[in-house]
Amino acid sequence: MTAKKIPAQKSKKVIISCAITGSIHTPSMSPYLPVTPDQIAEQSVQAARVGAAIIHLHARKPTTGEPTSDTTIFSQFIPRIEQDCDAIINISTGGGLGMSLDDRLNAAQKFQPELCSLNMGSINFDVSRAAKADMNWKNSWEPLFLKQTDNMVFKNTFRDIAYILDRISPLGTRFEYECYDVGHLYNLAHFAEQGLIKPPFFIQFIFGVMGGIGADTQNMEFMKQTADKLFGKDYLWSVLGAGRHQFPMAEHAIQMGGNVRVGLEDNLYIAKGQLAKNNAEQVLAIRKIIEQKGLQVAGPDETREMLGLKGK
Ligand code: KMH
Ligand code: ZN
């Protein structure tokens, strides 16, 4: 995919979010996927030091790498990250497969971060093809988990979204609105019209999840046009391309004046066939692209100001 020749907008700074581990990739896919609290903390701090203003976090069981909502595990890395860098902490409310809505909110309620993710609609979320790979699995849960995703709905009904807003908004936490398709922008507009969310809206356009909108630049332009129509100047946007789409889509977003999300949650590679050795490697690579375009990376405090966050 080649980025169209659009002159880069020189004035604004670009926010880099880094999603450190997620709940989709499994340990056998990369030895560099952070799994233990130590690894998650170290890679988060490294990513922040090289330019990530926002660190998006999930937790995993340290011995097996299985996604977990256990707050005792979150407490082994969140305070360390807060202490060792100034990045904005963004805790997932998407959680992982099989977690109840309340499970998904445990960590956000306990740590009351500046940001949380909020998934703006139910979608199919199929990563079952990864289970067919000729893989030497480290843990039995991994192929089972991947295989069943062809029958999985990532459930985020209007009632679920309202429930999350009701529990999390009073904590002063704001949201990264995860939009996997154009309809999700309309869902977001519905909550804005109801007065349940307030601008500026930080919208993550997600491309290339099997079940969501495809990863191509025309779709990005359509998402942007739709968001412009629905939210005017009341929003900031960022792009997450899944897997091999991560860098081409991020580069196009930068060119169009958007912000970017990288990290091993979304893509394990740094180049074709080459695993990223840590999250910082991806942050540095996207930073280089931003700076080559004559733009600057936004620091955590600048990002706080842009997103209207409550502060550390
Ligand atoms: N895994 C990403 C495609 C969440 O944590 O709430 C989206 C995500 C969802 O990060
Ligand atoms: Zn996530």
Side-chain angles (χ1 to χ4, degrees):
M1 193 171 324
T2 49
K4 268 208 248 159
K5 291 269 174 281
I6 302 169
Q9 297 181 6
K10 301 251 175 206
S11 54
K12 68 171 274 297
K13 293 199 176 181
V14 181
I15 302 168
I16 302 178
S17 295
C18 185
I20 301 295
T21 185
S23 61
I24 294 292
H25 289 133
T26 69
S28 303
M29 295 174 180
S30 171
Y32 309 114
L33 182 71
V35 161
T36 66
D38 275 357
Q39 291 165 346
I40 292 172
E42 277 159 23
Q43 288 209 27
S44 297
V45 172
Q46 277 176 1
R49 291 202 175 131
V50 297
I54 299 174
I55 300 291
H56 171 79
L57 291 159
H58 295 241
R60 293 177 183 265
K61 293 181 189 167
T63 47
T64 62
E66 223 170 330
T68 178
S69 59
D70 184 347
T71 54
T72 60
I73 296 184
F74 279 92
S75 38
Q76 292 166 40
F77 58 82
I78 300 247
R80 272 183 63 186
I81 301 169
E82 281 175 338
Q83 191 191 300
D84 292 350
C85 69
D86 193 31
I88 295 156
I89 303 284
N90 169 347
I91 297 181
S92 171
T93 67
L97 178 63
M99 291 180 198
S100 70
L101 195 54
D102 284 319
D103 288 344
R104 285 164 50 178
L105 298 187
N106 282 344
Q109 288 183 300
K110 176 160 180 176
F111 295 99
Q112 309 190 0
E114 292 179 78
L115 268 179
C116 274
S117 60
L118 181 52
N119 295 272
M120 291 312 302
S122 302
I123 58 161
N124 295 330
F125 202 126
D126 182 357
V127 287
S128 61
R129 282 169 307 169
K132 293 180 190 126
D134 183 18
M135 186 82 82
N136 206 356
W137 299 105
K138 289 184 187 158
N139 307 282
S140 56
W141 70 268
E142 299 179 51
L144 300 174
F145 159 80
L146 294 166
K147 268 184 199 137
Q148 62 182 307
T149 60
D150 68 348
N151 196 30
M152 179 183 100
V153 176
F154 181 30
K155 182 176 164 293
N156 298 286
T157 61
F158 283 97
R159 190 186 293 180
D160 292 338
I161 295 167
Y163 184 85
I164 297 175
L165 289 171
D166 191 51
R167 299 287 180 295
I168 304 297
S169 299
L171 311 176
T173 298
R174 291 180 60 78
F175 298 96
E176 172 200 6
Y177 298 103
E178 313 264 353
C179 292
Y180 300 74
D181 216 325
V182 182
H184 293 181
L185 295 172
Y186 287 85
N187 298 352
L188 184 62
H190 162 80
F191 285 98
E193 277 158 25
Q194 299 291 305
L196 294 173
I197 56 173
K198 298 273 180 260
F201 308 118
F202 181 43
I203 308 180
Q204 195 69 251
F205 297 166
I206 301 178
F207 299 96
V209 166
M210 193 161 158
I213 196 167
D216 74 54
T217 52
Q218 280 181 330
N219 286 343
M220 192 185 302
E221 279 152 36
F222 185 53
M223 287 283 274
K224 167 81 168 52
Q225 282 163 21
T226 307
D228 283 347
K229 187 167 65 187
L230 294 172
F231 308 110
K233 292 196 182 318
D234 283 348
Y235 82 104
L236 289 92
W237 62 288
S238 175
V239 163
L240 178 179
R244 69 193 160 85
H245 304 294
Q246 185 183 56
F247 274 85
M249 294 301 273
E251 183 163 0
H252 194 75
I254 295 162
Q255 198 69 16
M256 281 178 61
N259 303 287
V260 290
R261 174 168 139 170
V262 292
L264 300 194
E265 169 165 351
D266 305 332
N267 173 34
L268 294 169
Y269 290 82
I270 188 69
K272 194 164 187 237
Q274 193 186 331
L275 289 168
K277 295 221 164 43
N278 50 52
N279 278 274
E281 219 182 312
Q282 290 185 348
V283 174
L284 267 175
I286 202 67
R287 181 182 190 143
K288 200 166 153 203
I289 293 171
I290 292 166
E291 291 175 348
Q292 275 167 353
K293 291 182 190 297
L295 298 167
Q296 285 180 316
V297 165
D301 282 340
E302 290 164 321
T303 303
R304 286 184 172 99
E305 175 120 21
M306 287 154 89
L307 303 184
L309 303 183
K310 63 181 173 178
K312 215 169 161 178

